[in-house]
Amino acid sequence: MRNIILSLIILAAFIWSCEDMYEKQEMYEGEVVYPAKYDTVIGYIGYERVEIDLMSAGRIPSSEIKLGKAVKTKITYDDQEIIIDSLVSWVNITGLAQSKLYRFHITTVDEYGNESVPQEIALIPYTNTDLARVAVSPPRVMASPSAAVVDWPNGISSVLMNYYGLKFSYSDKNGETQSGERGEDSRFFVGNLEAGEPVNIDMEYKIVPIVNRTPILDTVIFNDVLSINMPTSSSEFSPAERYILQANGVTVFTADGVSDIEELVYPVHANSLQDIFYFPNLKVLDLTGSDLFKLPELAYDRNTIQDVVGGGDYSPCIRKAGNISSGDQQALKDLLEAGILDKVYYYPHSMGLDDLLAPYVESGVVELVETPQSVLLDNQFHLDGIVQDWNWWLDYEYPATDAPAGDGLENIYKIIPRRTSASFIFALPKEYQFNVEEYKYLKFSVYTPKESDLVGTYEPFKRLWPRIMNNMWAFGGNSNYGQEYWEIPRFYIPDNELNQWTEITLDLSEAMNRHNRVIVLNIGGEPWVDFNPPVDLVYYFANIRFEKE
């Protein structure tokens, strides 16, 4: 009996405990276990679209994304809903044509339709409304009665956009449509236009707008119209190189005034070629100076000495100091591309136009004027060294009348050092530098004193020290390129070659890409002795020349 009563008590306790368990379960019925959410949200704006990154791991394939039981992606904004049947690390949302703030809610979804806690972001896409407010900086226009050049000297890019290219089209005076396309170099040429009439040029700029100092994702096309009022044939132009045009016989600076000119000659030291654009019938351009131009002169006046270098005829061993700037050579490029010029004459490496002219050499439009293998450095470039320093003093006679006999000697100098740093100098006008691209070697013949005169204190005067520079230190204003000094190590003339004509060759390769225009040939290498030799130390120099090989 007692066993029966005990069994009933246990059964009642079990039933009571089970009822209590289900009561606790009821407390949790109806709750949802949310799927995992995306771990970041970063937005980028494009043209009528946005891109949103959702994973801190970056843009990875869907197959590599594991977010618990989540299997889909849901995006909502405004009244739009987008369901993607996979997990994604980023989304591209298009069709956002309104210039307004869009709020995007992005969740993951599990197989039962349960959504994660949303990631939220607000973005304003770039739209046509924004594009309509774009303004391109006005170009510089150089116009003649029948043609115009359009360029942007300071570029088209700005704090509001990055420029990548353009297309243009217009109708010429014959009613024919002309068009072109440009890339990074936005400059373009339009021709065969009606004098005194406006021309409208349809423009398409390829740009990437910048919003809040950040470029948007997309390249867009901005359309605009550029209007140019063409001058008449009697409109006066302002020349960049007036004295050059005057030397060519130009007295009236209008299209009518230069209409009869078919050939122009420019000196090698010209700074700009943009004036050729104004000559409607120009066919031949001579960039050698021909016989029309002499070299400019450069005067030195210091330490009681007055001396002048330059003047006279052009020498092929020299070239313009620096290159004609890209902007100042563009008119030549325009006329060549348009097929207007029939002939251009040019000394190789003389003005920095070699790359521009190279495509027209084979056709014969550009003729590279052949220069001699060897060019004497004439006395027009010799300079008295005292203008730099009295320690550079030497006496010289040119042409020397008592020089020792030798074969083929030309341009002979007699040199007598008077100070320990005596220096024999050649300098060019400031507009020029040595043409080392063409003439790599400086060669000369030297006749030294007897070996018996070059002993003891004066033994160092068996050696020479070539020093190459842009300008001497007392004349820093003679070069626009600062100082690009270098030197050839001091070298001795062998004893068995003293007191006879000896040939010296100096390699000037190091002057490549420098603006060197002064050569100082120091005699003795500056030994800093108390210079007072018992007899004059007499040297002779001859055949000082530049050679290609």
Side-chain angles (χ1 to χ4, degrees):
M1 182 68 177
R2 189 171 59 182
N3 290 338
I4 294 174
I5 294 172
L6 181 61
S7 297
L8 290 173
I9 292 172
I10 293 173
L11 178 61
F14 176 77
I15 293 172
W16 177 86
S17 64
C18 288
E19 289 175 351
D20 184 63
M21 178 181 69
Y22 285 112
E23 287 174 359
K24 291 179 180 180
Q25 179 178 323
E26 286 181 6
M27 296 171 58
Y28 298 99
E29 287 181 358
E31 289 206 6
V32 176
V33 178
Y34 291 97
K37 70 174 183 178
Y38 288 114
D39 63 9
T40 192
V41 60
I42 301 173
Y44 308 94
I45 68 171
Y47 181 69
E48 297 186 351
R49 71 184 185 99
V50 298
E51 290 183 7
I52 303 174
D53 284 336
L54 301 171
M55 300 288 293
S56 58
R59 296 187 175 187
I60 59 177
S62 295
S63 60
E64 298 180 15
I65 302 175
K66 306 298 181 184
L67 293 177
K69 295 183 178 298
V71 293
K72 297 182 181 181
T73 302
K74 179 179 178 181
I75 306 161
T76 59
Y77 65 95
D78 291 354
D79 58 351
Q80 302 295 311
E81 179 179 280
I82 302 172
I83 302 294
I84 303 173
D85 290 332
S86 63
L87 299 178
V88 293
S89 59
W90 68 284
V91 293
N92 176 31
I93 305 172
T94 60
L96 308 177
Q98 296 183 54
S99 182
K100 70 168 193 171
L101 183 73
Y102 290 84
R103 296 187 182 276
F104 301 94
H105 301 261
I106 304 168
T107 62
T108 63
V109 184
D110 67 14
E111 60 182 321
Y112 300 110
N114 299 315
E115 296 184 31
S116 69
V117 175
Q119 290 281 22
E120 299 182 3
I121 191 170
L123 297 169
I124 303 174
Y126 195 90
T127 67
N128 258 330
T129 302
D130 304 293
L131 189 58
R133 292 195 290 262
V134 167
V136 173
S137 59
R140 177 180 65 178
V141 177
M142 185 168 65
S144 72
S146 61
V149 170
V150 180
D151 70 350
W152 288 259
N154 298 319
I156 297 178
S157 295
S158 68
V159 295
L160 298 178
M161 66 178 181
N162 291 327
Y163 160 83
Y164 290 97
L166 63 80
K167 293 181 180 180
F168 65 92
S169 64
Y170 64 97
S171 294
D172 64 17
K173 67 180 182 181
N174 298 325
E176 297 181 3
T177 299
Q178 307 294 335
S179 62
E181 185 171 354
R182 291 292 182 269
E184 182 179 350
D185 182 5
S186 55
R187 177 187 175 106
F188 63 90
F189 174 88
V190 293
N192 195 30
L193 304 175
E194 192 70 49
E197 296 295 326
V199 58
N200 292 322
I201 305 173
D202 293 321
M203 305 291 299
E204 289 185 4
Y205 299 93
K206 185 165 67 174
I207 63 172
V208 174
I210 298 174
V211 178
N212 295 329
R213 293 180 290 185
T214 302
I216 72 168
L217 297 171
D218 301 312
T219 300
V220 299
I221 301 300
F222 170 65
N223 295 288
D224 199 6
V225 177
L226 175 64
S227 296
I228 302 174
N229 292 316
M230 302 303 295
T232 66
S233 58
S234 60
S235 300
E236 186 170 346
F237 63 87
S238 179
E241 299 275 25
R242 180 177 291 268
Y243 90 96
I244 292 177
L245 300 188
Q246 289 173 333
N248 279 270
V250 178
T251 57
V252 179
F253 295 93
T254 66
D256 286 339
V258 301
S259 62
D260 293 337
I261 295 179
E262 297 184 355
E263 179 176 355
L264 285 174
V265 178
Y266 272 69
V268 170
H269 59 269
N271 291 317
S272 174
L273 301 176
Q274 72 176 38
D275 293 337
I276 65 176
F277 172 77
Y278 296 108
F279 289 73
N281 297 310
L282 184 65
K283 297 300 179 185
V284 178
L285 181 63
D286 186 342
L287 299 175
T288 70
S290 188
D291 297 327
L292 191 59
F293 293 94
K294 299 297 182 182
L295 291 177
E297 295 182 344
L298 178 59
Y300 289 81
D301 186 354
R302 191 169 180 270
N303 292 337
T304 74
I305 299 298
Q306 295 179 334
D307 202 354
V308 174
V309 297
D313 295 331
Y314 173 78
S315 175
C317 66
I318 66 176
R319 53 150 295 169
K320 175 179 168 58
N323 296 334
I324 291 183
S325 69
S326 58
D328 285 317
Q329 60 181 258
Q330 279 289 346
L332 174 57
K333 183 175 184 289
D334 296 332
L335 268 59
L336 286 169
E337 289 180 347
I340 292 174
L341 292 174
D342 293 337
K343 199 73 172 180
V344 176
Y345 297 98
Y346 177 71
Y347 288 127
H349 301 109
S350 61
M351 302 172 78
L353 303 173
D354 302 78
D355 290 343
L356 186 156
L357 298 176
Y360 304 94
V361 173
E362 185 176 355
S363 66
V365 173
V366 171
E367 181 176 328
L368 301 179
V369 179
E370 186 176 355
T371 54
Q373 174 68 28
S374 180
V375 179
L376 287 170
L377 191 59
D378 287 334
N379 186 57
Q380 70 195 105
F381 304 118
H382 173 252
L383 177 64
D384 193 321
I386 294 175
V387 297
Q388 169 60 36
D389 195 296
W390 275 103
N391 270 325
W392 289 24
W393 178 16
L394 51 75
D395 288 338
Y396 60 90
E397 178 185 337
Y398 178 86
T401 57
D402 61 350
D407 294 333
L409 299 176
E410 296 181 81
N411 291 14
I412 306 173
Y413 291 83
K414 180 180 181 181
I415 300 296
I416 304 175
R418 297 303 185 192
R419 292 288 189 273
T420 186
S421 298
S423 296
F424 188 33
I425 303 172
F426 286 91
L428 305 181
K430 64 175 63 178
E431 294 87 352
Y432 284 88
Q433 68 189 60
F434 298 113
N435 191 349
V436 182
E437 289 92 339
E438 285 292 298
Y439 293 93
K440 183 179 177 181
Y441 299 98
L442 177 65
K443 299 183 180 183
F444 57 88
S445 296
V446 59
Y447 194 102
T448 69
K450 302 189 300 292
E451 183 179 1
S452 59
D453 294 336
L454 302 174
V455 296
T457 300
Y458 302 101
E459 189 270 345
F461 288 86
K462 296 177 183 178
R463 65 184 181 180
L464 300 175
W465 183 22
R467 309 168 74 183
I468 322 297
M469 59 193 77
N470 288 13
N471 51 264
M472 295 182 296
W473 295 276
F475 302 93
N478 284 354
S479 173
N480 294 329
Y481 301 93
Q483 181 61 281
E484 296 171 346
Y485 171 88
W486 63 283
E487 62 188 52
I488 295 173
R490 301 165 175 85
F491 62 90
Y492 279 86
I493 297 174
D495 288 349
N496 62 350
E497 295 182 11
L498 296 174
N499 206 224
Q500 60 180 295
W501 285 109
T502 299
E503 182 75 359
I504 303 295
T505 297
L506 304 178
D507 188 341
L508 300 181
S509 297
E510 194 167 339
M512 198 77 71
N513 300 320
R514 300 176 187 261
H515 302 92
N516 293 149
R517 43 172 297 279
V518 178
I519 294 175
V520 177
L521 191 59
N522 178 268
I523 300 173
E526 291 193 348
W528 293 103
V529 300
D530 184 10
F531 191 82
N532 188 24
V535 297
D536 285 345
L537 303 182
V538 180
Y539 298 77
Y540 294 90
F541 288 84
N543 297 353
I544 303 171
R545 65 198 185 278
F546 282 88
E547 292 197 354
K548 296 181 178 181
E549 297 178 355

